[in-house]
Amino acid sequence: MTGPLIIVNLKAYAEGTGEQATRIAAAAREVAEESGAVIGVAPAYTDLGIIARDYDVPVYAQHIDGVVPGAHTGHVTAEQVRAAGAFGTLVNHSERRLTLAEIDAALSAARRCGLQAVICTNNVATTAAAAALAPEYVAIEPPELIGTGVSVSKADPGIIERSVAAVRAVNPEVKVLTGAGISTGECVKIALELGTDGVLLASGVVKARDPAAALRDLVSLL
């Protein structure tokens, strides 16, 4: 993939489940085709296979467990989401936090199955530590701003700049996303100007009355 990456995390929102999930995936495909932007979606496991099959967009799992296939009731393996059609996976989202050992195991599982990994972090120190593991992406999201509608790119641009600098110092091959409160094209533009490679967001699109219009706004200043 080339160009800035936008990942829409559908979380467990009712507005991002079932038919609503496919509506958002269709909007992502439509706006990506119109704009040339790279727009991925991270649906619930129950919708992942359908979206991966029917919509030509990068599909990310919201989480994987760092275990191999076997006697692991209730776990979700990298092999399972890859077989369902996933392109990548989030790891260590602030709503699904892991220990360092669990992050490392999940990343190893993602690599084993050819899944692009996006490790989520909440401050500069954890961002640097995540970069040392060499995932494809790290995503800095101050948890206090998630879901507030207050954009990190405006409320705390310094954490983005310091995170980008930390990643570049540790491993310049790792790309940086930012999230928390991202909802407009201006938010995306500022995030990119601060050195990131894209954004990770959720409610700004998932809870929008018109997801396609929300996505068009996000890419409008690219």
Side-chain angles (χ1 to χ4, degrees):
M1 296 187 299
T2 59
L5 173 62
I6 296 171
I7 300 178
V8 182
N9 181 10
L10 278 56
K11 301 192 176 185
Y13 288 130
E15 298 92 338
T17 301
E19 290 184 6
Q20 294 295 91
T22 59
R23 176 173 175 244
I24 293 168
R29 179 181 62 186
E30 179 181 341
V31 175
E33 290 175 349
E34 291 173 358
S35 65
V38 181
I39 304 175
V41 296
Y45 299 123
T46 49
D47 298 312
L48 191 153
I50 294 171
I51 291 175
R53 183 191 67 201
D54 295 343
Y55 299 90
D56 187 20
V57 295
V59 178
Y60 293 78
Q62 295 180 10
H63 164 81
I64 58 170
D65 294 300
V67 297
V68 297
H72 301 291
T73 301
H75 290 71
V76 179
T77 68
E79 285 81 1
Q80 287 170 326
V81 299
R82 190 74 177 98
F87 172 79
T89 184
L90 306 182
V91 176
N92 192 49
H93 190 275
S94 64
E95 295 157 0
R96 188 66 171 84
R97 289 189 178 173
L98 304 175
T99 65
L100 182 58
E102 288 169 335
I103 293 170
D104 190 38
L107 180 57
S108 294
R111 287 178 176 146
R112 184 174 70 237
C113 294
L115 293 170
Q116 184 183 88
V118 181
I119 299 182
C120 301
T121 61
N122 61 0
N123 57 46
V124 177
T126 57
T127 300
L133 298 175
E136 286 80 5
Y137 286 88
V138 296
I140 173 68
E141 289 191 299
E144 66 273 13
L145 295 178
I146 292 176
T148 64
V150 178
S151 171
V152 61
S153 60
K154 295 181 179 180
D156 194 0
I159 194 172
I160 299 176
E161 291 179 310
R162 294 191 300 275
S163 294
V164 169
V167 171
R168 298 291 179 263
V170 172
N171 187 339
E173 297 300 315
V174 176
K175 296 182 179 180
V176 182
L177 305 179
T178 191
I182 302 291
S183 61
T184 68
E186 184 182 8
C187 297
V188 176
K189 181 175 181 288
I190 293 171
L192 296 177
E193 288 173 346
L194 292 170
T196 72
D197 300 285
V199 296
L200 171 64
L201 74 154
S203 58
V205 171
V206 181
K207 292 194 170 187
R209 183 172 299 179
D210 185 343
L215 285 167
R216 288 190 181 97
D217 186 6
L218 286 168
V219 303
S220 62
L221 299 179
L222 294 181

